[in-house]
């Protein structure tokens, strides 16, 4: 079965510092992987997705993620954090047999950015 | 990408009552889904809303508790029946446009059951 593990339920960084949010997946087939962001009282917004093309995926708002098959990881990074990046971030994998639109989500990581 | 509107955005309900959440997409979409996000937790797929046929439910979710309708390619409803405080959650509608390879989400409906 597919699964996603996000390491660290809370991450705190200083404004301007590197953001690193960790995601490891388990999948018996080549996965499709996604990062979504949820701002307070809002729905989920897609940051980026990996669908077996380039392993380094660039998304919106300066975020990027690298698919590493050997490490079964899909960590999300941003070189310089901004106050507006404070939000909840979810990693997700497509469910086996369900296609890329049936997603299994990780528990989420809440990112705090302080001055 | 498609824009998804949900209503109500939030509601406070009494135990034992039922509430219907509406999901409207601004374009025709192939797939629509309903997710639940319990307080402080991640998203769990409730069901796939199938146009013109019965919804497909995930393990742990049943039609009697969460009846779903999808009368056309742009609209779906989720009813939370006979609510208890354990049903207090955010319910999110999502949709996939043909060939988009990505899910778009509504802003969610936050239900509090007293």
């Amino acid at each position: 079965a597919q699964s996603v593990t996000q390491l660290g339920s809370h991450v705190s960084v200083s404004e301007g510092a590197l953001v690193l949010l960790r995601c490891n997946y388990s999948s018996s087939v080549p996965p499709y992987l996604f990062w979504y962001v949820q701002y307070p009282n809002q729905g989920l917004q897609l940051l980026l997705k990996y669908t077996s093309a380039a392993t380094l995926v660039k998304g919106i708002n300066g975020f990027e993620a690298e698919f590493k098959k050997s490490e079964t990881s899909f960590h999300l990074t941003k070189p310089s954090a901004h106050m507006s990046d404070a939000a909840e971030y979810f990693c997700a994998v497509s469910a086996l047999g369900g296609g890329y639109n049936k997603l299994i989500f990780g528990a989420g990581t809440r990112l705090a950015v302080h001055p | 990408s498609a824009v998804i509107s949900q209503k109500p955005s939030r509601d406070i309900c009494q135990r034992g009552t039922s509430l219907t959440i509406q999901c409207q997409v601004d374009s025709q979409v192939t797939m629509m889904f309903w997710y639940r996000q319990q307080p402080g937790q991640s998203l769990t797929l409730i069901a796939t809303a199938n146009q013109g046929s019965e919804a497909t439910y995930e393990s742990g979710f049943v039609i009697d508790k969460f009846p779903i309708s999808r009368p056309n390619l742009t609209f779906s409803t989720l009813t939370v029946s006979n609510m208890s405080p354990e049903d207090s959650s955010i319910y999110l509608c999502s949709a996939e446009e043909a060939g988009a390879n990505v899910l778009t989400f509504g802003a969610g409906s936050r239900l509090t059951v007293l």
Side-chain angles (χ1 to χ4, degrees):
Chain A
Q2 326 298 88
S3 67
V4 169
T5 302
Q6 291 185 240
L7 300 176
S9 58
H10 290 80
V11 171
S12 181
V13 300
S14 299
E15 191 173 19
L18 171 72
V19 175
L20 171 61
L21 305 181
R22 299 178 187 274
C23 172
N24 288 89
Y25 69 91
S26 172
S27 176
S28 55
V29 298
Y32 285 179
L33 294 159
F34 305 81
W35 276 100
Y36 281 86
V37 60
Q38 186 178 35
Y39 297 102
N41 299 314
Q42 296 187 30
L44 275 72
Q45 180 181 5
L46 179 70
L47 277 177
L48 49 81
K49 63 180 181 181
Y50 167 78
T51 56
S52 76
T55 56
L56 181 62
V57 181
K58 294 187 183 299
I60 62 172
N61 301 338
F63 284 94
E64 63 181 36
E66 186 172 10
F67 172 71
K68 292 187 176 180
K69 183 178 179 180
S70 61
E71 300 177 7
T72 62
S73 69
F74 190 57
H75 302 331
L76 182 70
T77 60
K78 181 174 181 178
S80 177
H82 192 273
M83 298 295 287
S84 61
D85 294 327
E88 185 103 25
Y89 292 80
F90 293 96
C91 182
V93 64
S94 55
L96 179 64
Y100 47 81
N101 49 28
K102 193 171 177 179
L103 301 183
I104 296 170
F105 284 85
T109 298
R110 185 168 299 276
L111 175 67
V113 182
H114 51 85
Chain B
S1 59
V3 176
I4 300 176
S5 302
Q6 282 185 239
K7 58 180 180 182
S9 58
R10 58 178 64 228
D11 207 339
I12 299 174
C13 307
Q14 297 299 317
R15 181 196 298 262
T17 63
S18 299
L19 181 78
T20 296
I21 302 167
Q22 298 181 5
C23 176
Q24 179 73 56
V25 189
D26 69 345
S27 60
Q28 292 186 346
V29 293
T30 52
M31 307 290 286
M32 294 183 74
F33 304 87
W34 287 96
Y35 283 81
R36 180 175 72 181
Q37 185 178 21
Q38 294 178 297
Q41 298 189 31
S42 187
L43 285 80
T44 302
L45 179 63
I46 298 172
T48 303
N50 301 309
Q51 195 265 326
S53 64
E54 201 169 274
T56 304
Y57 290 84
E58 298 300 305
S59 175
F61 297 96
V62 295
I63 187 171
D64 290 346
K65 177 67 175 177
F66 297 103
I68 288 170
S69 78
R70 189 176 172 197
N72 56 51
L73 292 175
T74 65
F75 186 77
S76 177
T77 67
L78 168 74
T79 299
V80 186
S81 303
N82 188 24
M83 287 185 285
S84 67
E86 292 71 34
D87 295 319
S88 297
S89 295
I90 300 173
Y91 293 86
L92 296 109
C93 174
S94 68
E96 185 223 349
E97 296 173 273
N101 286 6
V102 69
L103 280 185
T104 301
F105 285 82
S109 299
R110 182 183 295 270
L111 301 188
T112 301
V113 185
L114 303 177

